[in-house]
Amino acid sequence: MAFTFQINNDLKFNHDEVLLRKSEENRPDIKIETITPTRMVDVVEDETKLNGISVVTSEKDVMSLKDYGLMRDDKLILDFGDHRVGTFQMDIDQTGSPMDAPLYMRLKFAEMPAELAAESADYDGWLSRSWIQEELIHIDELPVTLKLPRRYSFRYVEIKVIDTSPKWQAVFSNPVVMTETTADYSRLQPLELEDVELQKIYNVGVKTLADCMQDVFEDGPKRDRRLWLGDLRLQALANYATFDQTDLVKRCLYLFAGMTTEEGKISANVFVKPQNVPDDTFLFEYSLFFISTLYDLHQAHPDIELVKELYPIAKKQMDITLGMFDENGKLVPDEDYPVFVDWSNEFNKDTAGQAEVIYVLKQFIALAEQTGDMDIASYQNQLYKISNYAKDQLFDSEKRLFVTTGGEYNIASQVWMVLAHVMSDEENKAIMQSMIEKLFPVKNIATPYMYHHIVEALFEAGLKEEAVRLMKDYWGKMIALGADTYWEAFDPDHPDYSPYGSPIVNSYCHAWSCTPVYLIKKYLVDAQQ
Amino acid sequence: MAFTFQINNDLKFNHDEVLLRKSEENRPDIKIETITPTRMVDVVEDETKLNGISVVTSEKDVMSLKDYGLMRDDKLILDFGDHRVGTFQMDIDQTGSPMDAPLYMRLKFAEMPAELAAESADYDGWLSRSWIQEELIHIDELPVTLKLPRRYSFRYVEIKVIDTSPKWQAVFSNPVVMTETTADYSRLQPLELEDVELQKIYNVGVKTLADCMQDVFEDGPKRDRRLWLGDLRLQALANYATFDQTDLVKRCLYLFAGMTTEEGKISANVFVKPQNVPDDTFLFEYSLFFISTLYDLHQAHPDIELVKELYPIAKKQMDITLGMFDENGKLVPDEDYPVFVDWSNEFNKDTAGQAEVIYVLKQFIALAEQTGDMDIASYQNQLYKISNYAKDQLFDSEKRLFVTTGGEYNIASQVWMVLAHVMSDEENKAIMQSMIEKLFPVKNIATPYMYHHIVEALFEAGLKEEAVRLMKDYWGKMIALGADTYWEAFDPDHPDYSPYGSPIVNSYCHAWSCTPVYLIKKYLVDAQQ
C-alpha cells in the first residue's frame, strides 16, 4: 500500500460489539482442497519473462520424487501447476547410513519464477524482510511428516537441503498444498468470450480474486494479507460479477463499521487475527469508499435494512470529508489524511481528490434518499457547490482537461472527473480523447488500481475500443510475462520494477488487480445484452 | 568423534528383542527443572577467555525484559547462569501500532561466549551445519507463547529481531529453559576437597557428566547427542564416582548388546531416536570396551547374572580382536576397523592398540573366571603371547619406552602399556618418568579423552604429583578460559583450535572430558582412606 507509514498508535477506537458480531455471522467457511505438484522444474533465463527468469520442466520426474536423495546444497523445485494459497506438508525420510546429524533445510515459496532466482540475504529494502516466504527448518528425527503451520501464497516450492551429513541423504515424498479460499466456485458461471486474449485476462482475474477471498477480502494472500477498504470496493465489484458472495462483503463492511475512531473515522484497513484490530492508517478516500461499497452492494443486491443500519457510519465519513472543503467548494487536502488516488506521490492529487468526493457524494445522496435522511438537501447543495467549483475553476476548456493546483494536467484528474460524471457524457468523451491525445501513452503509473480507473473511465466515456486496448496492453502483458494471477504493482515500461527492491517481497496475487472480471462483464458482456 | 566417516550401510544387524526390551526397562526418568535467566549480557573482547571473547553484565535489566521493544536488527542476550540442557520457551508480544507484518526472529543458543561472536553464514567446515544451534522463526500473530520443540545445550540465548515493521516493536518476556537430565542429584554426595582448584575441577566435571546423562549417556548434549561405547566406558566410571546410577549404564550395555552385526561385532555408537539403530561405524577398541564397561560395572556393583547374560557378546568382541593377531602375538591393524586411541591420525597407533587389547583381555579373563568359561586357558595363553610380544619386541629397554612400527616413540604407547600393566609397577613408573623426561610437555593432543588416559597412567604408575599437575594444567585451563562444562576438544597450546573450523559447531559439554570426578575420587580421595 502507501509508501509512507502512518503511526497514530495513541488513537482510541470504538468497538461496536453488535456490528462486530454481525461480521462474525457473515464469515464464510474456508474451503480446503488438496493439490499435488504437476512436475519438477529448473530455473532458466528467459528475457521474455518477468525479471528475465522462467522455469522449464526438469529432467527429474515428480512421480519419482522419493528416489532422489539430497545432500548439502542440493535442491529441487516443485511446480503446483497454478497459483495456490494454503498450507504445505510433505513426508521426509532419509537414505544411506543412520541419521547422525539433524536435517537442516530451507523451503522457499514463490508465486513467480523471478522469486526463485533471488536470495533473501541480498534483500535490503525498507519493507519488512519478514514477508519473504522462506522457512529454515531443523529436523532431529526422521521419518517425519512435516506440516508447516503457516499459510503461503505460491506456485513453486524450492526444497533446499542446507545440510545432512556426508553419510546420508534426505528423501522427500507426498508434497501437497491444502489450498484455502472462501470463494465458492460452485456459484461461478464463467464468462465464455470470443476474444481469446480477453478470455485469458478474465480467467486470470477470477483466479486472482478467488485466491484473495479468505477470512476477509485480503489485498494479497502473500502480503499484506489484510482488508483494505479501497481494495474491498474493487473486490466487491469483481465479486458481484463472478462468485457473487454477499456474505463476505457484508462481513468486511461490518468490520470497518464496528471499529471507528472516537471521532467516527474509518481506518484504511483492519486486521482480524488474532483479534479484530483497526489499523492506525487513514486514507482520505478509503474512508469514503465505505459509502461506495455499501452503495455498490445495495445496487447488486438491494438490502435496505443493511443500508439503514450502516448509514450513520457512512454519513459520518461524508461529514468529515465535507468539513475539508473551503467556502468556494474546493477541497483543502490534509497531509495527515492523505488523498491516495495512486501509490505515486509524483503528481498532484487535489483535483482527483475533489472528483472522488463528487463520485462518492452522488452515491451517498442515493443512499440518503433510500433512508429518507432529512439532511439530504444540504448534501445536494454541497454536491452542487463542489461540482461547480470543479467545472468552473478546475476545468481548462481550451485544453479540454482538468487542471490541478500548480497547473498540472495529469491522468488521474481526468479519470476521476469522468468517473464522477461531473461533466456531460459528450464532454467526458472529449476529455478522455484529449487525455489520450495529450497524456497517453500512460507513463509512470505502476498499479493495476490506477489502470483500473483509467480503463473504467474510458468505458464510461464510451471509448470502448481504447478501454479494451489498454486492458489488453496492461493485464495482457502481465500474462505474457508469466502471471498466473495479477500483481500488486506493474509498470509495463519497467516490467522488473519492484516498489520494494526485490521480487521476493512483491505480491504477485493482489486483489486490486482482479477488476478485468468486472470491467469485461459490465462493459462488454452486460452492455451488449 | 573420528574425522573419517565410515559408510557401511549395506551391513545387516541383529536386533535381539529380549536385550532391547531390557534396555527399555532400565530407562531412567528424565527430570525436568524450570530455570530463568539471571541477567542480560553484552559480548566483549577478552583475550584471557576462549577465542578472545567474553561477556559482561548488560546495562539492560533482565527483570525489565518486557520493557524493551525490539525492531529490525535489535538483539539481546540472556544468561541462564550456568550450562543448561533443555527446551526453551518465552512469551512474545508487540508494542506500537498494530502488527502489520510477521515477526521474523533468530534465536541462537550458545554454550560459550565465543559462539555468540561467530556467524553461521561464515561457517564452511566439513561437519554438518545442521548442528549450529540457531532457529529462524516467523510468527504471524502476537501475542504468543513460543515453545521450541527441540532440545538445546547452552548457557546464553541471543534473541535477534530480523524484522518487525517500522510501525511496531517485538517484546519478550518470561523466558525459561526446562532442563532435562536423568542424573539424580539426590544421589550425589559431592566431594569436599581442600584444594580449591581441584574442587572447581571436580564440580565442573559433575556438571558435565550430569548434562550428558539423558535418555542414554550422550557424548555431548549439543552434538552428537548419541551413545558412543568408548565414551560410555568413561561416563560409567565417572558415574560410579558421583551419581552412581547403574540403570543408565545397564540400559546402554543392553543397547549395544542387542544390536550387533550378523558377524557379532558391536558398533562404535548407537542411535535411540526415533528408534534404536546401530551406527555403521566401527572402532577397534570401542567394540572391546563393551568388555571393560561390563567389567567396571561388575566391579562397582557385582551382578553375576548380568555378566553371564552379556558374556557371550563380550566374548565375541574378544574373539574378533584376537583373530587380528599374527602367530607371534602382534596386532595386525585393519584400516576398516581402525584403532582409535585418539582423534589425531598423526601418530602410530599399533603399540597403543596392542596395549589396549592386553588391558581389556585381563578384564575379560576376570569375567571368564566369573562365568566359568571352559575356554579360559586359551585366553590366558593369548594374553601371555600378546604381552610377551609387547615386552620382547615393542619395549626399548635402553630408552625405557615402548616403540611402534616405524620406530616411533609416542605418549599413547607408554600410557596404554602402563594402564595395561604389561610391565611391573617399578618398570611402569620408570616408563612414565621416561615419558615425562623425553615426551613432555604434551604436544598436539587435543582431546580430554587422551589426557584422561595420560593422567590415569601417571596415577597408576604412582606419579600422583605429576598426575595432579597435568590435570590442573589441562582441565583447570578450560575453567580459566571460561568453561562451565568441559569440552570435546582442547589443546592448551592452541586454545582456540576447533576441529571443525568454528566454535559454533564445537561441543563445549562433552562427556569424555568429565573424568576428573573419577580420577580425583579414585586416586586422591579413596586412595587415602
Side-chain angles (χ1 to χ4, degrees):
Chain A
M1 272 296 315
F3 284 100
T4 320
F5 284 99
Q6 291 179 29
I7 296 185
N8 301 294
N9 57 27
D10 48 349
L11 273 180
K12 290 200 163 44
F13 285 87
N14 304 307
H15 282 256
D16 185 321
E17 295 307 329
V18 174
L19 296 178
L20 291 175
R21 195 169 58 243
K22 289 190 179 179
S23 83
E24 289 302 309
E25 290 164 4
N26 281 284
R27 182 202 289 269
D29 290 337
I30 290 178
K31 292 151 196 72
I32 294 173
E33 194 181 350
T34 300
I35 306 282
T36 55
T38 55
R39 57 173 183 162
M40 284 196 268
V41 295
D42 296 321
V43 172
V44 294
E45 293 189 4
D46 179 348
E47 63 182 20
T48 69
K49 300 298 179 187
L50 183 71
N51 283 48
I53 301 293
S54 186
V55 293
V56 295
T57 301
S58 167
E59 288 182 1
K60 293 198 178 80
D61 179 7
V62 74
M63 300 304 290
S64 307
L65 179 61
K66 70 176 193 311
D67 297 340
Y68 302 103
L70 274 68
M71 300 183 76
R72 180 186 282 197
D73 292 335
D74 288 347
K75 60 186 176 183
L76 52 83
I77 301 169
L78 304 173
D79 177 2
F80 281 86
D82 199 351
H83 190 268
R84 311 293 177 186
V85 176
T87 56
F88 177 81
Q89 74 171 58
M90 64 177 169
D91 296 332
I92 312 177
D93 204 344
Q94 53 106 202
T95 185
S97 290
M99 185 184 179
D100 61 350
L103 169 63
Y104 193 35
M105 59 184 289
R106 186 181 74 180
L107 287 171
K108 192 168 164 176
F109 298 86
E111 296 181 314
M112 288 292 294
E115 295 168 76
L116 296 169
E119 277 296 328
S120 56
D122 300 331
Y123 175 72
D124 67 348
W126 55 270
L127 194 73
S128 181
R129 305 177 66 86
S130 64
W131 288 117
I132 299 169
Q133 295 189 121
E134 69 177 20
E135 306 292 351
L136 290 147
I137 300 163
H138 285 103
I139 296 174
D140 290 322
E141 296 171 22
L142 293 175
V144 76
T145 298
L146 177 70
K147 296 183 185 186
L148 296 185
R150 306 178 73 214
R151 199 197 69 189
Y152 305 93
S153 182
F154 63 99
R155 172 172 173 166
Y156 307 100
V157 181
E158 183 198 85
I159 303 168
K160 178 178 177 180
V161 168
I162 298 174
D163 222 335
T164 55
S165 97
K167 295 191 63 167
W168 57 275
Q169 301 84 47
V171 172
F172 303 95
S173 58
N174 304 321
V176 292
V177 51
M178 274 75 68
T179 61
E180 298 180 11
T181 179
T182 51
D184 182 355
Y185 274 90
S186 72
R187 296 179 57 88
L188 177 71
Q189 288 191 302
L191 295 186
E192 300 201 358
L193 305 167
E194 284 181 16
D195 185 320
V196 176
E197 205 176 344
L198 283 181
Q199 182 72 58
K200 276 190 192 164
I201 289 172
Y202 173 83
N203 292 347
V204 172
V206 170
K207 180 70 171 144
T208 304
L209 174 63
D211 282 1
C212 294
M213 288 173 71
Q214 300 293 338
D215 187 35
V216 293
F217 281 105
E218 293 184 8
D219 62 332
K222 172 180 172 185
R223 212 212 80 242
D224 317 322
R225 305 186 198 163
R226 53 180 143 148
L227 172 61
W228 288 87
L229 224 175
D231 310 53
L232 167 62
R233 169 179 155 256
L234 298 186
Q235 283 168 294
L237 289 171
N239 171 46
Y240 306 136
T242 53
F243 301 102
D244 197 23
Q245 291 171 238
T246 53
D247 53 352
L248 192 57
V249 181
K250 286 184 197 168
R251 165 161 167 70
C252 294
L253 280 173
Y254 279 122
L255 279 166
F256 283 111
M259 298 184 291
T260 55
T261 65
E262 288 181 317
E263 183 198 6
K265 198 185 276 185
I266 294 179
S267 295
N269 66 90
V270 299
F271 303 91
V272 294
K273 289 176 183 171
Q275 69 248 349
N276 297 326
V277 176
D279 194 22
D280 58 359
T281 298
F282 299 88
L283 296 173
F284 175 77
E285 74 270 48
Y286 272 40
S287 303
L288 281 181
F289 286 153
F290 180 82
I291 298 165
S292 296
T293 310
L294 182 59
Y295 172 86
D296 292 336
L297 175 59
H298 189 57
Q299 290 293 108
H301 297 280
D303 184 344
I304 188 63
E305 291 310 313
L306 182 72
V307 169
K308 286 182 177 168
E309 184 180 26
L310 298 182
Y311 181 78
I313 292 151
K315 186 173 177 175
K316 186 72 198 174
Q317 308 316 305
M318 186 50 73
D319 290 345
I320 291 170
T321 294
L322 293 178
M324 294 169 67
F325 282 79
D326 70 12
E327 66 279 10
N328 302 315
K330 173 181 167 41
L331 175 65
V332 183
D334 173 358
E335 64 182 21
D336 290 335
Y337 194 31
V339 177
F340 176 67
V341 184
D342 192 15
W343 259 352
S344 169
N345 288 321
E346 300 300 306
F347 67 98
N348 186 294
K349 300 180 178 182
D350 295 359
T351 298
Q354 178 110 6
E356 287 178 325
V357 177
I358 298 168
Y359 175 90
V360 178
L361 185 50
K362 287 180 176 177
Q363 296 172 326
F364 177 74
I365 288 169
L367 295 178
E369 283 169 358
Q370 296 274 323
T371 60
D373 187 346
M374 305 292 280
D375 299 332
I376 193 164
S378 155
Y379 294 106
Q380 286 164 333
N381 288 340
Q382 290 272 12
L383 175 61
Y384 183 75
K385 186 159 81 170
I386 295 170
S387 298
N388 276 352
Y389 183 86
K391 284 190 266 197
D392 299 342
Q393 304 297 323
L394 301 177
F395 188 62
D396 179 336
S397 56
E398 198 171 315
K399 287 201 162 74
R400 292 186 307 171
L401 289 173
F402 282 87
V403 65
T404 71
T405 315
E408 181 180 309
Y409 297 85
N410 61 37
I411 286 176
S413 306
Q414 321 314 319
V415 160
W416 273 104
M417 283 294 177
V418 167
L419 290 173
H421 289 279
V422 174
M423 312 296 269
S424 70
D425 287 352
E426 294 69 31
E427 285 166 319
N428 281 344
K429 187 167 189 174
I431 291 165
M432 286 291 98
Q433 284 168 330
S434 190
M435 176 181 82
I436 290 170
E437 186 187 325
K438 300 196 174 82
L439 302 174
F440 268 31
V442 180
K443 289 285 169 198
N444 302 319
I445 292 181
T447 66
Y449 180 81
M450 190 63 227
Y451 268 89
H452 161 81
H453 292 112
I454 303 174
V455 173
E456 182 155 39
L458 291 170
F459 275 127
E460 285 289 310
L463 298 175
K464 183 173 127 180
E465 199 177 308
E466 292 79 356
V468 169
R469 185 178 311 131
L470 189 60
M471 190 157 54
K472 286 183 176 179
D473 284 353
Y474 190 71
W475 280 269
K477 186 157 183 184
M478 282 192 249
I479 293 174
L481 286 165
D484 296 308
T485 48
Y486 295 124
W487 310 337
E488 174 185 29
F490 177 54
D491 179 347
D493 293 327
H494 308 98
D496 300 346
Y497 167 76
S498 161
Y500 316 111
S502 171
I504 51 177
V505 291
N506 272 25
S507 168
Y508 292 110
C509 176
H510 218 75
W512 70 6
S513 68
C514 75
T515 56
V517 302
Y518 156 75
L519 297 168
I520 290 169
K521 180 146 196 300
K522 178 171 179 182
Y523 295 104
L524 298 178
V525 177
D526 292 351
Q528 287 187 325
Q529 284 169 349
Chain B
M1 272 297 312
F3 284 100
T4 321
F5 284 99
Q6 291 179 30
I7 297 186
N8 302 294
N9 58 26
D10 49 347
L11 272 179
K12 289 199 164 45
F13 285 87
N14 304 306
H15 281 257
D16 185 319
E17 296 306 329
V18 173
L19 297 178
L20 291 175
R21 195 167 59 242
K22 290 190 178 178
S23 82
E24 289 301 311
E25 290 165 4
N26 281 284
R27 182 202 289 268
D29 290 336
I30 291 178
K31 291 152 197 70
I32 293 172
E33 194 180 348
T34 300
I35 306 283
T36 55
T38 57
R39 58 174 182 162
M40 285 195 268
V41 295
D42 297 320
V43 173
V44 293
E45 293 188 4
D46 179 347
E47 62 183 19
T48 69
K49 299 299 177 186
L50 184 71
N51 284 49
I53 302 292
S54 186
V55 292
V56 295
T57 301
S58 167
E59 288 181 3
K60 293 198 178 82
D61 178 7
V62 75
M63 300 303 289
S64 307
L65 179 60
K66 70 176 191 314
D67 297 340
Y68 302 104
L70 275 66
M71 301 182 77
R72 180 187 280 196
D73 291 334
D74 288 347
K75 59 187 177 184
L76 51 82
I77 302 169
L78 304 172
D79 177 0
F80 281 86
D82 199 351
H83 190 267
R84 311 292 176 187
V85 177
T87 56
F88 177 80
Q89 73 171 59
M90 64 178 168
D91 296 331
I92 312 177
D93 204 345
Q94 53 106 201
T95 185
S97 291
M99 186 184 178
D100 62 350
L103 169 64
Y104 193 37
M105 59 184 288
R106 187 182 74 180
L107 288 171
K108 192 166 162 175
F109 298 87
E111 295 182 314
M112 288 292 293
E115 296 168 76
L116 296 169
E119 277 297 326
S120 57
D122 300 332
Y123 175 71
D124 66 347
W126 55 269
L127 194 73
S128 181
R129 305 177 67 84
S130 65
W131 288 116
I132 299 169
Q133 294 190 122
E134 70 177 20
E135 306 294 350
L136 290 147
I137 299 164
H138 285 103
I139 296 174
D140 290 322
E141 296 170 23
L142 293 176
V144 75
T145 298
L146 177 71
K147 296 183 183 187
L148 297 184
R150 306 178 72 213
R151 200 196 69 189
Y152 304 93
S153 182
F154 63 101
R155 171 170 173 167
Y156 307 100
V157 181
E158 183 198 86
I159 302 169
K160 178 178 176 179
V161 168
I162 298 174
D163 222 336
T164 54
S165 97
K167 294 191 62 168
W168 57 274
Q169 301 84 48
V171 172
F172 304 95
S173 59
N174 303 320
V176 292
V177 52
M178 273 75 67
T179 61
E180 297 180 11
T181 179
T182 51
D184 182 355
Y185 274 90
S186 72
R187 297 180 56 89
L188 177 71
Q189 290 192 301
L191 294 185
E192 300 199 0
L193 305 168
E194 285 181 14
D195 185 320
V196 176
E197 204 177 345
L198 282 182
Q199 182 72 57
K200 276 190 193 165
I201 289 171
Y202 173 84
N203 293 347
V204 173
V206 171
K207 179 70 172 146
T208 304
L209 174 62
D211 282 1
C212 296
M213 287 173 71
Q214 300 293 339
D215 186 37
V216 293
F217 282 105
E218 294 184 9
D219 62 333
K222 173 178 170 185
R223 211 212 80 244
D224 318 325
R225 306 184 197 164
R226 54 181 143 149
L227 172 61
W228 288 88
L229 224 175
D231 309 53
L232 168 63
R233 167 178 157 258
L234 298 186
Q235 283 168 294
L237 289 171
N239 170 47
Y240 307 136
T242 52
F243 302 102
D244 198 23
Q245 292 171 237
T246 53
D247 51 354
L248 191 57
V249 181
K250 286 185 196 168
R251 165 161 166 72
C252 294
L253 280 173
Y254 279 122
L255 278 166
F256 283 111
M259 299 185 289
T260 55
T261 65
E262 287 182 319
E263 183 198 6
K265 197 185 274 185
I266 294 179
S267 296
N269 67 89
V270 299
F271 303 90
V272 293
K273 287 176 184 172
Q275 69 248 350
N276 297 325
V277 175
D279 193 24
D280 58 359
T281 297
F282 298 88
L283 296 173
F284 176 76
E285 74 270 48
Y286 271 41
S287 303
L288 280 181
F289 285 153
F290 180 83
I291 298 165
S292 296
T293 309
L294 182 59
Y295 172 86
D296 292 336
L297 174 60
H298 189 58
Q299 291 292 107
H301 297 279
D303 184 345
I304 188 63
E305 291 309 313
L306 181 71
V307 168
K308 285 183 176 167
E309 183 179 27
L310 298 182
Y311 181 78
I313 291 150
K315 185 173 179 177
K316 186 72 196 176
Q317 309 316 306
M318 186 50 75
D319 290 346
I320 291 169
T321 295
L322 293 177
M324 294 170 65
F325 283 78
D326 70 11
E327 66 280 10
N328 302 316
K330 174 181 167 40
L331 174 65
V332 183
D334 173 358
E335 64 181 21
D336 289 334
Y337 194 30
V339 178
F340 175 68
V341 183
D342 191 15
W343 259 352
S344 168
N345 288 322
E346 300 301 307
F347 67 98
N348 187 293
K349 301 180 177 182
D350 294 0
T351 298
Q354 177 111 5
E356 287 178 326
V357 176
I358 297 167
Y359 175 90
V360 178
L361 185 49
K362 287 181 174 176
Q363 296 172 326
F364 176 74
I365 288 167
L367 295 177
E369 283 169 357
Q370 296 276 322
T371 60
D373 187 347
M374 305 294 281
D375 298 332
I376 192 164
S378 155
Y379 294 106
Q380 287 163 333
N381 288 340
Q382 291 272 12
L383 175 61
Y384 183 75
K385 186 158 83 172
I386 294 170
S387 299
N388 275 353
Y389 183 86
K391 285 190 266 198
D392 298 343
Q393 304 296 325
L394 301 177
F395 188 63
D396 179 336
S397 56
E398 199 171 314
K399 287 201 160 74
R400 293 185 310 171
L401 288 174
F402 282 88
V403 66
T404 72
T405 316
E408 181 179 309
Y409 298 85
N410 60 38
I411 286 175
S413 306
Q414 321 314 319
V415 160
W416 274 104
M417 284 293 178
V418 167
L419 290 173
H421 290 278
V422 174
M423 312 295 271
S424 70
D425 288 351
E426 294 69 29
E427 286 166 318
N428 281 343
K429 188 168 188 173
I431 291 166
M432 287 291 97
Q433 285 168 329
S434 190
M435 176 181 81
I436 290 169
E437 186 187 324
K438 300 196 175 81
L439 302 175
F440 270 30
V442 180
K443 288 285 168 199
N444 302 320
I445 291 180
T447 66
Y449 179 83
M450 190 63 226
Y451 269 89
H452 161 83
H453 291 112
I454 302 173
V455 172
E456 182 155 39
L458 291 169
F459 275 127
E460 285 288 310
L463 298 175
K464 183 173 126 179
E465 200 176 309
E466 291 80 355
V468 169
R469 186 178 311 133
L470 188 60
M471 190 156 55
K472 287 183 175 178
D473 284 351
Y474 190 72
W475 281 268
K477 186 158 183 183
M478 281 192 249
I479 293 174
L481 286 164
D484 296 307
T485 48
Y486 296 124
W487 310 336
E488 174 185 30
F490 176 55
D491 179 346
D493 293 327
H494 308 98
D496 300 346
Y497 167 76
S498 161
Y500 317 112
S502 170
I504 51 177
V505 291
N506 272 27
S507 169
Y508 291 111
C509 176
H510 219 75
W512 71 5
S513 67
C514 76
T515 56
V517 301
Y518 155 77
L519 297 168
I520 290 169
K521 180 148 197 300
K522 178 171 180 182
Y523 296 104
L524 297 178
V525 177
D526 291 351
Q528 287 186 326
Q529 286 168 349

